[in-house]
Amino acid sequence: MAVLTCYPGLEVTVEVDGQRAQEYDAPADEIEAGAKELNFHSIPDLRIEGCPYIIKYIESKPGKPFAFQLDSTNFAIPSSDNKKHLVQYRCVLDGISTGYNQLVGGAKSSKNSFTSGSNESGWKCHKFQFSTLEIVEGGDGKQGDRTKEYGTLLVKLCDAIDLKRTIPTLASIRSPVPVQSVSEKALKGRSVDSKVVFDTQPFSASKRAPIVHLVDPGRRPFAVFEFRYRTMEGLMCEGIVPRPVKEDDDQVVDVEKEQQPLNPVKPDPDNTRGIKREFADPNPMAVCYKLRRLEDGKVEIDLTDD
């Protein structure tokens, strides 16, 4: 699970097809560079140590749904102003914002979809799903800086005050426009091979929106969780997951069998004394001998003629 050292009570994970995704650490220089591009809000009366930003890599599975799981069981924003503070979070998928949701301190929240439309025209529910990204040669020059957001899932958390009221949603919310294709040149060496698409279904319930007030006028987040998703092949291409080393099949060698002659001599069934006979000559001459068992159990061979 992704946990910030400065906010240890906050946890965010991604589930793919109902299973928690395995997380892989991002290089430290990537986290440092990403943090420099963000501007964070500082929560009053809450001093932190460390960077409120983390990156984790996960495996995408084209054709499978995914969902975010947020846990603030051990976290709450201080309310020194006698107002009820909560976390207002926003998920951004490949640069597509999916609106705000609430996470009350001491509770959990799950998000696997968002809605679009209006109360007049009707609503649609768009469920999150991974798909294969088409890589094309050249480029039309229209994708611009948005390609930086391809292959990323962001969870931005803001400090908000709950006004404890809801109102009907008046403004129409546009349907998402997922990524279609991208030029290899625009990816600038990144092994982005997946994208987010939406399984869209009608949503008949009338939508109301809670009224909250974001504390920071610039809507800056106080923490950001970033998940960069690739197929397993993409993760290996970027060096996040080591590529398995192919080894030849192990061959078990029977040493005793290898040392035996090609035409082994069958043991003499009449030899019950446990004496080993050597057949160096294929036509050995007959040899007469006598065997005498000594008192200590050893056997003595007598090769005399008499």
Side-chain angles (χ1 to χ4, degrees):
M1 66 187 71
V3 179
L4 294 169
T5 57
C6 53
Y7 298 116
L10 279 174
E11 300 175 1
V12 180
T13 58
V14 176
E15 291 185 354
V16 181
D17 199 22
Q19 300 294 323
R20 177 178 291 185
Q22 173 69 45
E23 295 176 357
Y24 304 94
D25 293 335
D29 58 339
E30 288 188 14
I31 300 176
E32 183 179 355
K36 291 180 179 179
E37 297 181 0
L38 297 171
N39 191 7
F40 296 97
H41 165 68
S42 298
I43 299 176
D45 302 322
L46 187 60
R47 300 182 62 181
I48 64 171
E49 294 183 3
C51 178
Y53 172 66
I54 191 171
I55 300 176
K56 293 290 184 179
Y57 280 85
I58 61 172
E59 179 186 1
S60 62
K61 297 181 179 180
K64 301 299 183 181
F66 68 91
F68 298 94
Q69 301 294 338
L70 293 85
D71 188 347
S72 65
T73 303
N74 300 311
F75 176 82
I77 298 176
S79 299
S80 57
D81 53 4
N82 296 323
K83 297 179 181 179
K84 183 180 179 180
H85 286 249
L86 50 78
V87 175
Q88 190 83 343
Y89 70 91
R90 181 166 63 105
C91 298
V92 183
L93 321 177
D94 293 344
I96 303 171
S97 178
T98 61
Y100 284 97
N101 294 85
Q102 292 184 2
L103 176 64
V104 180
K108 297 181 180 180
S109 179
S110 178
K111 186 174 178 66
N112 66 349
S113 64
F114 82 107
T115 56
S116 68
S118 67
N119 288 334
E120 290 74 23
S121 62
W123 296 93
K124 294 181 180 179
C125 177
H126 309 276
K127 293 185 177 180
F128 307 152
Q129 185 175 304
F130 287 125
S131 183
T132 301
L133 177 63
E134 181 184 2
I135 310 297
V136 298
E137 295 183 359
D140 55 12
K142 297 180 181 179
Q143 293 171 317
D145 291 338
R146 189 187 170 188
T147 55
K148 295 180 180 179
E149 300 175 297
Y150 292 177
T152 65
L153 310 174
L154 296 178
V155 182
K156 298 184 177 183
L157 292 79
C158 298
D159 180 9
I161 298 174
D162 185 5
L163 300 182
K164 301 180 180 180
R165 299 197 311 271
T166 64
I167 60 173
T169 303
L170 301 177
S172 178
I173 301 176
R174 292 180 297 177
S175 296
V177 180
V179 178
Q180 298 300 323
S181 62
V182 64
S183 67
E184 185 175 3
K185 182 179 180 180
L187 294 177
K188 298 180 180 180
R190 295 184 300 139
S191 299
V192 180
D193 54 8
S194 303
K195 64 180 180 181
V196 173
V197 294
F198 303 94
D199 180 12
T200 301
Q201 301 292 335
F203 183 69
S204 58
S206 177
K207 186 173 178 62
R208 297 181 65 87
I211 302 177
V212 297
H213 170 69
L214 294 180
V215 175
D216 183 69
R219 297 175 176 257
R220 295 177 301 167
F222 67 84
V224 175
F225 293 79
E226 179 173 342
F227 298 90
R228 297 181 178 178
Y229 64 90
R230 313 281 190 269
T231 63
M232 184 54 65
E233 177 63 26
L235 292 173
M236 290 188 291
C237 287
E238 288 200 16
I240 301 301
V241 177
R243 192 176 293 277
V245 179
K246 295 183 179 180
E247 298 180 355
D248 296 335
D249 294 338
D250 294 335
Q251 296 181 355
V252 180
V253 179
D254 188 336
V255 179
E256 294 183 356
K257 185 177 181 180
E258 289 291 325
Q259 292 178 346
Q260 290 178 358
L262 296 178
N263 297 313
V265 179
K266 296 182 179 180
D268 185 356
D270 297 331
N271 182 14
T272 60
R273 299 183 178 87
I275 298 177
K276 182 179 180 181
R277 299 181 183 182
E278 297 181 358
F279 297 89
D281 191 335
N283 299 306
M285 296 179 60
V287 179
C288 298
Y289 59 88
K290 298 178 181 179
L291 300 177
R292 291 195 298 272
R293 188 171 297 279
L294 304 179
E295 295 180 355
D296 58 1
K298 296 181 179 180
V299 177
E300 181 182 67
I301 302 176
D302 186 358
L303 300 178
T304 58
D305 295 334
D306 53 356

